[in-house]
Amino acid sequence: MNSEVIILVIDDEIQIRRLLEITLSSESYKVLEASDGKSGIIAAATHNPSLILLDLGLPDEDGQSILIKLREWYTNPIIILSVRNSDEDIIRALDNGAIDYLTKPFRIGELQARIRSALRLAQSANNSSSILTFNSLNIDLVNHVVKRNDEILKLTSTEFSLLVLLAKNAGKVLTHQYILKEIWGHGYIEQTQYLRVFIAQLRKKIEDDPADPLYIVTESGIGYRFQG
Amino acid sequence: MTQEMSRPNPDELLASIKLDEERSNRGKLKIFFGMCAGVGKTYAMLKAAQVEKLKGIDIVIGYIETHDRKETNQLLHGLEVIPPAINEYKKVLLKEVDIDSIVSRKPEVVLVDELAHTNAPGSRHTKRFQDVMEILDNGINVYTTLNVQHLESRSETVSQITGIVVRETLPDEIFEIADEIELVDLTPDELLQRFSEGKVYSPGQSQEAVRNFFRKGNITALREMALRIVADRVDIQLRQYMQQKRISGPWKSGLRLMVILGASTESVSLIRWAKNLSYTMGATMLALYVEPAKKLSPVQQEKLTRNINLAKQLGAEFISTSGVDYVKAILNIAHKENISHIIIAKPRRRNFLSLFRLGNYINQLVQHSGNIDVYVMGSNITGDEKYQKYSTLPSFSSGFSQYFLSGIITVLLAIAFYPFKNLIGYQVVSFAMLFMISILAIFYGIGPILLSATLCALCWNYFFIPPEFTLHIDKAEDVLMLVMFFTIALLNGILTTRVRKQEKLTRDREERTSALYHLTRDLSLASGMNEVLNVSVSAILKFFSLESAVILQGGNNELHNEIRHESKLKLNESDMSIASWSFFHAGKAGKFTDTLPSSSFTFYPLTGSKMRLGVIAIKHLNAFNADEEIFWDTFKTQVSNALEREFLNDLAIRASILNESEKLYKTLFNSISHELRIPVATIMGATDTLMSIDYNKETYQKLNNEIFTASERLNRLIENLLNMSRIESNRIRPHMDWHDVNDLAAKVTQSLRGELQNFNVELVIPDDTPLVKFDFGLMEQVLQNLVYNATQYAAKGTTIRIKIYYDSHHCYLQVMDRGPGFPPDTIPFVFNKFYRVEGTIPGGTGLGLSIVKGFVEAQNGSVTIENRQNGGARITVKIPSEKPDFERIETPNKE
């Protein structure tokens, strides 16, 4: 089944491309390579890959503008792979439509997991199920019921909205501003303390060990990501 | 005892060493010296040049005047000629020595004819000898020619002998610094023979004058003079030789001769004569000027300046002093300067005022000079020049209004007393008049007092002394009274004026002292080059009323091409080149000097005790007088010292920065290169093995682990270096936001999961800990570094405690381990970058803790280290933070 999944790698470093080709092919993905932005866009248009791994530092054009151009018509997940690790760059890339990011150097295992959850997210967007299940966590979107190990959790309405927002975007990094905007509204995008408090409360309720959270992962300085 | 005597005087020895040193860097000067034109100096010089050329010496002609004589022209053959610089002056093309071409050509020897020549206006120097000096300073040897009459000290005598006024003179000093003097001699008969054959060319003189000049008597006298100079020189050289070799000689050492100069023309011959004397005696020469109480007229001032310059040119050290008592002032200086001989001019004529003195000052000087020899020079100059009074008497310098007013007052007083003369008696009137004169003396000069005294005497006699309305006096006692009245009135006036003069002198000096005091104080308070410059420039404006500009050197011993303060002076390019000249030659230049006097500014070099600092340019309308010059010198010295202080400061700072970066480079090199190479070596070795050798599954796994660990280590190092460079470049802009400290702790323990698996991690965060404002990324790095350090130094199986709590506006974050802790004496240094406690485990760059400190301080926090009671270290990070505002937190969501 995986043989139909095409991953496009847009990166100018031959070593990185080679490494990704070897490791991802072994996972039965079909890997296409592009060494600059222009050929990357052409490859994306001709092959319509299931996922794109995009480097931000490209020789011909800035990765951010490639990202914007791709997003005009390309709807599958784009994951950023970059040595740039400043928060501003990452947030901008996420705002521009990237689903996730990884800074070089990265663990291959980590990348594979991210690719998997990105692909799953893309698939789940198609089937609009009313119940989301993650391991022992069960979220009933219609009835507003959250169960952990079949035990009903008491969540406030804000906590529930927050959890649903995160869970619906499982695998995707959501920035603080995005979450604040979605849950509290545009007037609250600077009130990160609200978000902190609710995340902490939510973790206490849904996580086995809030000090070592499994579901809601903190992305330092960026936001949160819900892990399936 | 004799041994003791023959030991050279240290001062002299030092002087001779200094002379040697100066000479070793400078080019050698050889003078072909003759008694007058036509003896064949140029010919002799060219001949010598040809001989040198044959020896293979690089010898060129810088300037030569052959006057188209055949024999001389022939000698030019084969010698390279550096074309002279051509200046146009009043539409006449004038050839002068091209110093720059000579210097850039840099031959071993250059020939420059006619040393005494005066350059055309607009040339760099007024005199050719200055050109030669500059060439010598560049290490090029010079051959030149000179006639005896051109020596400053001899020109006077020459003009007396020959009747020809010698205008082109040069300081005797150049003759003294010459390394070699070759006398070009000819008997008078032979010379006259040549003259009659038309082989002698004498420029600038009329035919008649020339014929008058070339007479046997004249020539013999000149010849004697030339021979004597050379003989004296040989004598001095012999003495110098003996001095160096410690051979006792009959000379009297340490002679110091002081010439007292004035503002008259006769001082010129006095100075020249003194120079001759000092030269033959081997004595050093001082020139002293005693400022009179009266201000000099511009003409006198100009003469005085010329005399002082002459004395300086002749190598005398110049001193100026002031004092009402002329003799005392001279003797003061003489004692202070340890003078052995005083040379002074005979007063030309006696003044009637000298009647009031007890003998003239020469007598007094002789009387009080003790063991100092006093030479009194006669003067032979008569004319309209007035003998300059340094008298103890005040001078007649009062304005007309003072005479007028004192006359009116006197007459009014007489009229006022007239009606009462019978009532009070005429004697009393005289007292009243005396009283009035005393009062007038406080305000008026000696002239009005004299007038007033005379008027009073006349009025008193005419109107009051019986018989009235006649000048006739009946009684003998009245005559006596009148004489006494006049004398008392006069003396009264004179004394008062004298006190006033003295007072003014004192005041002037006080003003200067206080000016210097203020300057010194301001300069010592000034910090930084700019402030020093501002203080200096404004002080010059205040005390000298002069606009000035300072040009400093750029640290490379070259003058910066910019003025270093806001100045009203506009210096153009040629001014800057004069400044450069002044800087390099450490001599003043420009207006009122001998070097490039066509400029409108005067440039003085600013020289400190260790280095040349720059040049100060001022614009004066009149040259400084002697007194001002000294004041200015002192002023300049203060400014130079302050500038030097700043310069040296700057240099020290620069040096320490350089030193610091050197140190940094070394540590970086040692520590980083090690830290980089080890993991790279591991990766290369492991992969090499994986590629080439058959291995079992276990080895494969182990090698893979090694590679992975090495890459992690490399990654950490790179991360640390990048972070360090962010701190160093001040690029950190912390993004302060509210964060849950639990989140922070979780994040760090998760990322260090591998390192922490062998430890017992104790995470202590009170439940009521509020959200805290910090930069998550920075704090994550801080905590990660601290925890990572703990895992590196503490033994496996021990507890690492992470405690985070909030207390009174601060968030505390503590990492505690049970490792070895820090040796107490190293604690102050552990936050320094690249610092590693000695004897600790290998690996690590010494960057971790300095990054912690940098990141914490970027968030206005602080970090402290202490050793725990039962072993181990506790590192506490303290970040200031308020509690968040939650008033609207439960605002219902938009759904």
Side-chain angles (χ1 to χ4, degrees):
Chain A
M1 180 190 108
N2 264 351
S3 62
E4 292 158 31
V5 178
I6 300 170
I7 295 178
L8 172 64
V9 178
I10 306 177
D11 198 309
D12 60 328
E13 283 291 340
I14 178 90
Q15 278 203 304
I16 298 285
R17 289 206 308 268
R18 230 161 26 206
L19 176 73
L20 292 174
E21 208 273 325
I22 295 165
T23 47
L24 295 179
S25 297
S26 72
E27 290 270 307
S28 310
Y29 295 114
K30 189 179 178 197
V31 180
L32 296 173
E33 295 174 36
S35 61
D36 56 51
K38 201 179 272 172
S39 54
I41 291 176
I42 292 168
T46 38
H47 300 281
N48 195 24
S50 310
L51 186 141
I52 295 177
L53 294 175
L54 176 67
D55 181 18
L56 285 184
L58 290 172
D60 58 342
E61 208 174 333
D62 183 46
Q64 299 278 7
S65 66
I66 299 288
L67 180 59
I68 294 167
K69 281 181 186 168
L70 282 173
R71 268 293 168 245
E72 284 169 7
W73 50 269
Y74 181 78
T75 51
N76 287 339
I78 299 174
I79 297 178
I80 300 297
L81 273 186
S82 174
V83 288
R84 290 192 203 175
N85 54 359
S86 89
D87 298 351
E88 291 80 39
D89 282 343
I90 292 163
I91 290 172
R92 238 180 84 204
L94 293 172
D95 287 346
N96 286 337
I99 184 170
D100 202 349
Y101 75 96
L102 268 176
T103 51
K104 295 175 192 164
F106 51 83
R107 307 279 300 265
I108 290 295
E110 182 76 25
L111 178 69
Q112 285 167 342
R114 300 284 177 94
I115 290 175
R116 272 198 300 270
S117 49
L119 290 174
R120 197 184 308 141
L121 177 69
Q123 256 170 12
S124 68
N126 300 334
N127 57 7
S128 48
S129 160
S130 65
I131 295 177
L132 302 174
T133 310
F134 305 92
N135 299 331
S136 53
L137 202 65
N138 194 297
I139 306 166
D140 186 338
L141 299 175
V142 180
N143 300 314
H144 284 213
V145 174
V146 179
K147 286 187 198 159
R148 197 180 73 180
N149 298 327
D150 293 330
E151 198 181 308
I152 293 176
L153 301 175
K154 285 177 184 169
L155 297 183
T156 66
S157 65
T158 309
E159 282 166 8
F160 182 79
S161 326
L162 185 58
L163 180 61
V164 168
L165 179 69
L166 287 166
K168 272 185 170 173
N169 291 290
K172 184 176 182 180
V173 178
L174 301 180
T175 62
H176 298 139
Q177 276 70 32
Y178 178 76
I179 301 170
L180 284 162
K181 194 172 69 191
E182 290 297 312
I183 307 296
W184 281 273
H186 282 275
Y188 297 90
I189 58 165
E190 293 307 315
Q191 308 291 79
T192 48
Q193 71 269 31
Y194 293 8
L195 184 55
R196 307 283 176 215
V197 169
F198 279 92
I199 291 285
Q201 284 172 9
L202 200 55
R203 272 177 178 161
K204 274 180 196 161
K205 290 177 183 173
I206 64 167
E207 300 277 1
D208 292 335
D209 178 8
D212 187 12
L214 290 176
Y215 293 114
I216 302 173
V217 177
T218 304
E219 293 291 329
S220 319
I222 313 278
Y224 297 96
R225 184 156 47 84
F226 196 87
Q227 276 188 161
Chain B
M1 191 69 198
T2 37
Q3 280 289 319
E4 193 69 22
M5 294 285 281
S6 70
R7 188 177 294 166
N9 176 330
D11 284 343
E12 286 168 7
L13 206 61
L14 207 65
S16 82
I17 290 168
K18 212 171 150 196
L19 206 67
D20 276 351
E21 265 179 17
E22 267 177 35
R23 280 193 180 158
S24 65
N25 296 331
R26 197 194 281 146
K28 301 230 181 306
L29 177 65
K30 181 171 184 172
I31 298 179
F32 292 83
F33 187 61
M35 54 185 161
C36 64
V39 292
K41 296 180 301 295
T42 307
Y43 184 81
M45 177 167 77
L46 282 170
K47 216 154 179 187
Q50 289 290 0
V51 172
E52 294 295 304
K53 180 94 189 163
L54 280 179
K55 285 191 209 160
I57 294 201
D58 182 18
I59 189 161
V60 301
I61 292 171
Y63 189 90
I64 204 95
E65 203 66 77
T66 61
H67 306 298
D68 272 338
R69 279 207 295 272
K70 216 168 73 191
E71 302 94 320
T72 321
N73 271 337
Q74 276 169 354
L75 279 172
L76 288 174
H77 184 73
L79 289 171
E80 182 189 337
V81 180
I82 290 177
I86 296 184
N87 289 337
E88 193 183 309
Y89 180 68
K90 293 190 178 163
K91 307 219 166 162
V92 180
L93 294 177
L94 296 165
K95 289 193 266 181
E96 299 296 353
V97 177
D98 190 346
I99 307 168
D100 295 332
S101 300
I102 293 172
V103 170
S104 62
R105 164 68 177 77
K106 209 163 180 25
E108 280 176 74
V109 185
V110 64
L111 269 53
V112 178
D113 210 1
E114 295 195 20
L115 186 60
H117 173 78
T118 301
N119 287 340
S123 308
R124 183 177 304 169
H125 303 294
T126 42
K127 300 267 188 179
R128 183 170 291 161
F129 80 83
Q130 292 169 309
D131 298 349
V132 168
M133 290 302 289
E134 196 172 334
I135 295 171
L136 288 171
D137 284 341
N138 282 289
I140 298 166
N141 302 325
V142 178
Y143 282 11
T144 187
T145 61
L146 180 70
N147 285 330
V148 66
Q149 78 256 29
H150 296 306
L151 281 180
E152 195 96 71
S153 61
R154 311 291 155 148
S155 62
E156 185 79 8
T157 325
V158 172
S159 65
Q160 277 172 5
I161 295 169
T162 62
I164 289 176
V165 179
V166 185
R167 285 202 182 80
E168 300 194 325
T169 61
L170 54 87
D172 288 31
E173 213 185 4
I174 193 144
F175 189 81
E176 279 176 40
I177 62 157
D179 298 85
E180 251 182 279
I181 305 275
E182 186 167 324
L183 182 71
V184 183
D185 192 31
L186 211 62
T187 62
D189 288 334
E190 276 174 307
L191 181 64
L192 287 175
Q193 174 79 29
R194 293 186 55 168
F195 174 66
S196 61
E197 286 166 9
K199 287 178 175 175
V200 176
Y201 173 81
S202 204
Q205 308 283 359
S206 71
Q207 279 304 303
E208 196 189 351
V210 172
R211 257 196 301 282
N212 276 337
F213 183 85
F214 281 100
R215 280 191 313 214
K216 197 168 178 179
N218 284 353
I219 292 166
T220 311
L222 288 175
R223 189 176 178 216
E224 191 211 334
M225 208 184 290
L227 289 171
R228 259 181 90 154
I229 288 172
V230 176
D232 282 347
R233 198 185 136 85
V234 172
D235 190 40
I236 283 174
Q237 279 170 344
L238 176 69
R239 273 194 257 170
Q240 276 175 353
Y241 175 79
M242 290 168 86
Q243 215 171 44
Q244 276 167 358
K245 304 286 173 194
R246 304 189 183 185
I247 304 166
S248 289
W251 68 84
K252 213 169 147 191
S253 66
L255 288 183
R256 282 168 76 75
L257 187 150
M258 182 165 81
V259 59
I260 315 299
L261 55 82
S264 63
T265 325
E266 63 203 61
S267 280
V268 174
S269 49
L270 182 74
I271 295 163
R272 293 205 164 118
W273 189 79
K275 174 64 199 174
N276 286 345
L277 189 66
S278 80
Y279 187 77
T280 30
M281 288 197 316
T284 47
M285 179 161 130
L286 265 81
L288 175 72
Y289 173 65
V290 183
E291 274 180 65
K294 184 191 164 192
K295 214 167 155 47
L296 296 179
S297 68
V299 181
Q300 285 174 319
Q301 186 64 56
E302 202 191 309
K303 274 184 188 154
L304 177 66
T305 311
R306 219 166 42 207
N307 290 346
I308 292 167
N309 284 340
L310 175 70
K312 282 182 181 168
Q313 272 183 0
L314 290 176
E317 184 191 334
F318 175 71
I319 297 172
S320 141
T321 183
S322 59
V324 170
D325 194 329
Y326 188 54
V327 173
K328 219 187 246 171
I330 293 173
L331 287 173
N332 258 341
I333 297 290
H335 288 306
K336 225 185 280 172
E337 294 290 333
N338 210 5
I339 294 300
S340 55
H341 298 70
I342 293 174
I343 297 164
I344 192 163
K346 199 190 271 183
R348 186 128 30 89
R349 65 170 93 92
R350 290 177 70 87
N351 194 296
F352 90 99
L353 285 168
S354 62
L355 288 173
F356 291 98
R357 280 173 291 162
L358 300 167
N360 67 38
Y361 60 82
I362 296 292
N363 291 346
Q364 285 181 34
L365 189 65
V366 172
Q367 246 173 37
H368 296 107
S369 55
N371 58 356
I372 301 172
D373 296 351
V374 180
Y375 287 63
V376 183
M377 275 280 290
S379 67
N380 50 0
I381 294 167
T382 50
D384 54 0
E385 282 179 57
K386 273 199 176 165
Y387 152 61
Q388 175 58 44
K389 292 181 294 295
Y390 296 95
S391 67
T392 53
L393 283 173
S395 50
F396 298 85
S397 56
S398 308
F400 172 74
S401 64
Q402 290 198 0
Y403 286 93
F404 181 73
L405 277 172
S406 61
I408 293 286
I409 291 169
T410 311
V411 172
L412 283 177
L413 190 82
I415 292 167
F417 274 106
Y418 188 72
F420 308 104
K421 69 168 180 173
N422 293 329
L423 199 70
I424 54 175
Y426 66 88
Q427 283 96 340
V428 178
V429 175
S430 76
F431 285 112
M433 284 173 160
L434 273 181
F435 180 66
M436 178 205 70
I437 290 168
S438 306
I439 289 173
L440 281 182
I442 296 172
F443 303 104
Y444 294 162
I446 179 70
I449 299 303
L450 199 64
L451 172 78
S452 178
T454 315
L455 268 177
C456 277
L458 287 173
C459 287
W460 190 43
N461 183 356
Y462 194 78
F463 295 107
F464 296 94
I465 302 177
E468 289 161 34
F469 304 111
T470 65
L471 288 176
H472 178 76
I473 302 167
D474 279 346
K475 287 188 258 176
E477 67 254 40
D478 285 349
V479 175
L480 193 63
M481 250 183 101
L482 183 69
V483 171
M484 273 163 54
F485 171 85
F486 186 71
T487 317
I488 289 169
L490 203 63
L491 276 180
N492 204 332
I494 288 166
L495 288 175
T496 317
T497 324
R498 198 169 141 185
V499 169
R500 272 175 45 210
K501 292 274 178 191
Q502 183 69 56
E503 193 191 35
K504 192 180 174 299
L505 273 178
T506 318
R507 209 167 47 229
D508 281 357
R509 214 170 304 158
E510 239 164 49
E511 265 171 28
R512 280 174 195 179
T513 315
S514 96
L516 278 177
Y517 165 74
H518 283 293
L519 177 72
T520 317
R521 194 195 53 191
D522 292 351
L523 283 177
S524 69
L525 288 177
S527 70
M529 195 65 87
N530 285 335
E531 218 174 300
V532 166
L533 287 176
N534 281 342
V535 166
S536 311
V537 169
S538 57
I540 290 166
L541 188 64
K542 185 173 164 196
F543 297 117
F544 293 92
S545 307
L546 291 173
E547 287 293 343
S548 58
V550 181
I551 307 132
L552 292 178
Q553 66 136 306
N556 47 357
N557 264 340
E558 263 174 42
L559 218 52
H560 236 285
N561 215 10
E562 55 172 330
I563 302 167
R564 275 294 302 269
H565 83 102
E566 293 142 35
S567 157
K568 285 178 196 155
L569 295 191
K570 292 272 173 286
L571 302 183
N572 60 30
E573 216 166 284
S574 77
D575 291 326
M576 290 305 278
S577 67
I578 302 174
S580 270
W581 188 92
S582 167
F583 177 72
F584 278 110
H585 296 79
K588 60 178 179 178
K591 202 177 184 184
F592 303 119
T593 70
D594 288 335
T595 305
L596 301 159
S598 54
S599 170
S600 44
F601 308 104
T602 315
F603 298 85
Y604 294 87
L606 293 167
T607 313
S609 56
K610 296 186 188 73
M611 59 191 295
R612 286 177 292 182
L613 300 150
V615 173
I616 187 162
I618 53 175
K619 186 173 193 168
H620 20 202
L621 300 172
N622 303 306
F624 283 138
N625 67 32
D627 213 28
E628 284 167 345
E629 184 93 39
I630 288 172
F631 183 38
W632 169 246
D633 276 345
T634 321
F635 211 85
K636 224 169 60 203
T637 311
Q638 294 292 341
V639 171
S640 304
N641 286 344
L643 284 176
E644 187 175 40
R645 182 190 72 202
E646 293 303 326
F647 247 108
L648 293 177
N649 250 350
D650 280 4
L651 284 179
I653 290 166
R654 236 179 287 169
S656 84
I657 289 171
L658 210 67
N659 200 18
E660 191 72 15
S661 71
E662 183 84 351
K663 222 169 81 190
L664 187 68
Y665 171 76
K666 273 188 187 153
T667 10
L668 204 80
F669 196 81
N670 291 336
S671 147
I672 305 294
S673 66
H674 174 265
E675 278 297 298
L676 278 170
R677 277 160 202 266
I678 297 302
V680 170
T682 313
I683 293 169
M684 280 171 76
T687 47
D688 215 18
T689 316
L690 285 176
M691 281 190 281
S692 57
I693 307 171
D694 281 338
Y695 42 79
N696 57 31
K697 179 98 176 155
E698 199 188 345
T699 319
Y700 173 85
Q701 198 59 47
K702 276 183 185 165
L703 285 173
N704 271 340
N705 273 343
E706 283 313 311
I707 294 170
F708 190 72
T709 315
S711 352
E712 274 197 315
R713 188 168 163 189
L714 264 181
N715 191 34
R716 204 162 33 238
L717 174 67
I718 292 162
E719 201 68 31
N720 274 343
L721 283 175
L722 291 175
N723 282 333
M724 200 65 226
S725 75
R726 274 172 79 197
I727 295 170
E728 295 277 284
S729 60
N730 265 330
R731 275 283 174 69
I732 300 179
R733 302 274 171 275
H735 175 68
M736 304 299 270
D737 203 349
W738 299 106
H739 292 281
D740 181 355
V741 290
N742 288 289
D743 210 358
L744 178 71
K747 187 85 192 163
V748 171
T749 48
Q750 263 175 1
S751 65
L752 288 175
R753 190 172 283 152
E755 284 81 0
L756 285 169
Q757 63 188 358
N758 295 319
F759 291 90
N760 182 17
V761 182
E762 228 178 85
L763 189 59
V764 184
I765 303 172
D767 277 346
D768 61 344
T769 308
L771 293 181
V772 178
K773 217 170 192 182
F774 54 76
D775 181 307
F776 197 90
L778 295 182
M779 281 310 276
E780 189 185 341
Q781 194 70 53
V782 166
L783 189 59
Q784 189 166 319
N785 279 5
L786 293 179
V787 176
Y788 179 78
N789 266 3
T791 63
Q792 296 301 296
Y793 294 99
K796 294 212 163 84
T798 55
T799 302
I800 293 174
R801 205 172 136 100
I802 301 166
K803 188 178 173 187
I804 307 175
Y805 61 98
Y806 184 86
D807 185 27
S808 58
H809 315 294
H810 287 89
C811 171
Y812 293 84
L813 192 150
Q814 291 183 321
V815 177
M816 291 162 262
D817 63 37
R818 289 290 177 195
F822 291 89
D825 52 326
T826 64
I827 289 179
F829 307 107
V830 294
F831 290 116
N832 293 354
K833 57 174 181 284
F834 300 119
Y835 181 86
R836 300 209 61 218
V837 175
E838 273 177 53
T840 49
I841 53 155
T845 46
L847 284 173
L849 282 179
S850 46
I851 289 169
V852 166
K853 188 167 189 259
F855 280 4
V856 169
E857 282 174 356
Q859 299 170 80
N860 299 321
S862 61
V863 51
T864 50
I865 286 187
E866 59 203 313
N867 286 321
R868 297 170 78 189
Q869 260 180 358
N870 299 321
R874 179 193 290 123
I875 303 179
T876 308
V877 172
K878 187 178 166 190
I879 302 277
S881 173
E882 294 303 316
K883 286 188 185 179
D885 162 28
F886 278 117
E887 52 177 314
R888 303 182 66 189
I889 193 156
E890 282 304 336
T891 303
N893 62 56
K894 65 175 188 178
E895 281 186 359

